[in-house]
Amino acid sequence: MLHPVGPLPASVYWRRRVLVLTLLVSVLGGGGWVGYAVATGRFDDGTTTVAATSSAPPATPALERVVPSLAGVQLPTGAASTTANPPSTAAAGPCTDDMITVEVRAPAGVAVGTQATFVLLVSNVATVPCIRSFDEQLQELVLRDLAGNRIWGSHDCRADTSDVRRTLAPAEVVSFSVEWSGLTSEPTCTAPRMPPPPGAYLLQGRLGTENSAVAQISIA
């Protein structure tokens, strides 16, 4: 084998032998590496890595491209989605006599035969609003002497009537002014009217069945 025999030059046969030997060594080396890789698990790791890196993400279903996922939808919180209902206002009831006060105001002194302005005040002393009738026929001021004799009344010689209902808020005050002519009067308006004599007189007002305290007036 070391001395090739043939019609060709010896160098040709040597090159052929070197080429065959190289191929043989390559085949043997490659087979050994594959066996070593299989034995140590490197071959499987490499295959898995390649498969993992080369695998493409799963395609998005057609329906999810149209309808968004619920995870991406922001729902309003309970505080934001709750609409506060305005508090309901109960209808005001009637003003009973114990829910109001009636007061009269007048000048402390009036000259004989002169006009004076009397004022009737109605106040809501309750803690809730209420409705009261303020009809003309329910409002009255009466002037008496100290013996209790009737001297004048705001309803005398008048036939006015009205139908007025008003809602009073808590602590609200409503006032009505009445001009007194300075003369006496009586309900039938048939007796002569004249100035009352000088002296002390008592003025009282009312609204329906609720009476005011008495205010004293001096006529001089």
Side-chain angles (χ1 to χ4, degrees), residues 95-102 122-126 130 132 168 207 210:
C95 294
T96 58
D97 287 350
D98 59 350
M99 299 174 68
I100 64 170
T101 59
V102 180
V122 180
S123 305
N124 179 6
V125 294
C130 59
R132 186 77 182 200
L168 297 179
L207 178 64
E210 180 65 12

Side-chain angles (χ1 to χ4, degrees), residues 60-175:
T60 302
L63 181 60
E64 292 187 3
R65 300 192 202 110
V66 179
V67 181
S69 173
L70 291 179
V73 179
Q74 294 183 352
L75 298 177
T77 61
S81 61
T82 302
T83 302
N85 294 325
S88 59
T89 302
C95 294
T96 58
D97 287 350
D98 59 350
M99 299 174 68
I100 64 170
T101 59
V102 180
E103 180 184 357
V104 291
R105 292 182 182 176
V110 179
V112 174
T114 61
Q115 293 184 348
T117 300
F118 302 149
V119 180
L120 181 70
L121 300 172
V122 180
S123 305
N124 179 6
V125 294
T127 58
V128 295
C130 59
I131 301 174
R132 186 77 182 200
S133 177
F134 289 96
D135 300 347
E136 291 280 353
Q137 57 272 23
L138 299 178
Q139 307 171 33
E140 187 177 22
L141 293 169
V142 177
L143 185 66
R144 294 182 174 88
D145 61 18
L146 295 182
N149 298 313
R150 192 176 190 278
I151 303 300
W152 168 86
S154 61
H155 283 182
D156 298 344
C157 305
R158 294 178 60 182
D160 297 340
T161 61
S162 64
D163 185 9
V164 179
R165 294 173 63 84
R166 178 167 178 171
T167 300
L168 297 179
E172 184 177 0
V173 180
V174 180
S175 62

Side-chain angles (χ1 to χ4, degrees), residues 161-202:
T161 61
S162 64
D163 185 9
V164 179
R165 294 173 63 84
R166 178 167 178 171
T167 300
L168 297 179
E172 184 177 0
V173 180
V174 180
S175 62
F176 304 92
S177 298
V178 177
E179 294 294 330
W180 178 46
S181 63
L183 304 176
T184 61
S185 66
E186 47 86 24
T188 64
C189 202
T190 57
R193 305 186 65 184
M194 60 186 66
Y201 293 86
L202 303 176

